[in-house]
């Protein structure tokens, strides 16, 4: 396992296949339905707090998991204050696609840079995270509010 601080509020943890097996994780993709994955996530957040001083208290935490070719995975964690986070929840894939088509999606979904918007399916919902490095026009904000709820403010 390697831990690397990538920015003041971000870090990466690289785990080998054998380390994932120690948590009882043997298949891809990782899912929070698995008790091993939930335990891994909890342990990694505790480890980031101990080693890097990155705490979830009052922060929204975006965690990305990327598989490695030789097995294992790389977890990237970004800690952001809730008021500044732009996380949108879409109830259907159709809503998400309609919003993306109505926006200037080339500007927001540049897969060659880490500054692009990120879409994550979760259960039957879709979440879109737009970092503050990407400014949104008033028109784009209206489009997003038409098709999505700002999360967590949109939650009941």
């Amino acid at each position: 396992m390697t831990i690397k601080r990538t920015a003041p509020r971000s870090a990466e943890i690289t785990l080998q296949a054998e380390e994932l097996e120690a948590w009882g994780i043997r298949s891809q993709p990782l899912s929070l339905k698995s008790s091993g994955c939930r335990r891994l996530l909890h342990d990694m957040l505790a480890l980031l707090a101990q080693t890097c001083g990155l705490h979830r208290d009052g922060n929204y935490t975006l965690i990305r998991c990327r598989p490695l070719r030789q097995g294992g995975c790389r977890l990237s964690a970004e800690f952001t204050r809730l008021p500044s986070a732009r996380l949108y929840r879409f109830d259907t894939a159709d809503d998400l696609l309609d919003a993306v088509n109505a926006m200037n999606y080339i500007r927001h979904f540049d897969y060659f840079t880490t500054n692009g918007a990120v879409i994550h399916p979760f259960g039957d919902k879709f979440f879109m995270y737009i970092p503050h490095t990407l400014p949104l026009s008033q028109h784009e904000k209206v489009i997003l509010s038409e098709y999505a709820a700002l999360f967590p403010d949109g939650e009941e």
Side-chain angles (χ1 to χ4, degrees):
M1 173 187 324
T2 59
I3 301 171
K4 179 174 121 180
R5 184 111 183 223
T6 56
R9 294 180 173 241
S10 302
E12 288 182 351
I13 298 175
T14 303
L15 297 161
Q16 302 305 317
E18 301 81 28
E19 294 168 320
L20 288 175
E21 286 183 26
W23 270 282
I25 301 168
R26 294 181 187 85
S27 64
Q28 296 290 339
L30 297 179
S31 169
L32 291 177
K33 293 178 183 178
S34 158
S35 63
C37 288
R38 288 192 307 270
R39 196 171 70 247
L40 169 68
L41 182 60
H42 180 267
D43 291 349
M44 293 300 106
L45 289 171
L47 190 59
L48 288 173
Q50 290 173 346
T51 60
C52 300
L54 296 171
H55 299 277
R56 293 182 57 212
D57 302 331
N59 289 299
Y60 159 75
T61 308
L62 174 66
I63 298 180
R64 296 181 182 125
C65 180
R66 293 183 179 95
L68 299 175
R69 285 185 185 176
Q70 62 273 28
C73 68
R74 177 169 293 126
L75 297 169
S76 301
E78 180 182 336
F79 295 76
T80 306
R81 289 268 174 229
L82 279 174
S84 65
R86 291 190 292 182
L87 181 66
Y88 294 90
R89 185 197 72 223
F90 294 84
D91 291 331
T92 67
D94 286 339
D95 287 345
L96 172 66
L97 293 172
D98 288 344
V100 168
N101 282 328
M103 293 172 61
N104 182 1
Y105 63 89
I106 299 289
R107 184 168 71 102
H108 294 288
F109 300 96
D110 183 0
Y111 291 109
F112 302 107
T113 176
T114 57
N115 293 333
V118 179
I119 297 172
H120 292 285
F122 190 78
D124 62 344
K125 309 276 187 233
F126 295 86
F127 290 87
M128 179 190 298
Y129 173 75
I130 302 175
H132 278 284
T133 56
L134 292 175
L136 288 175
S137 69
Q138 189 61 34
H139 175 72
E140 291 164 330
K141 289 177 185 177
V142 169
I143 291 169
L144 286 169
S145 68
E146 180 180 342
Y147 291 101
L150 188 59
F151 186 82
D153 298 333
E155 285 292 293
E156 292 80 36

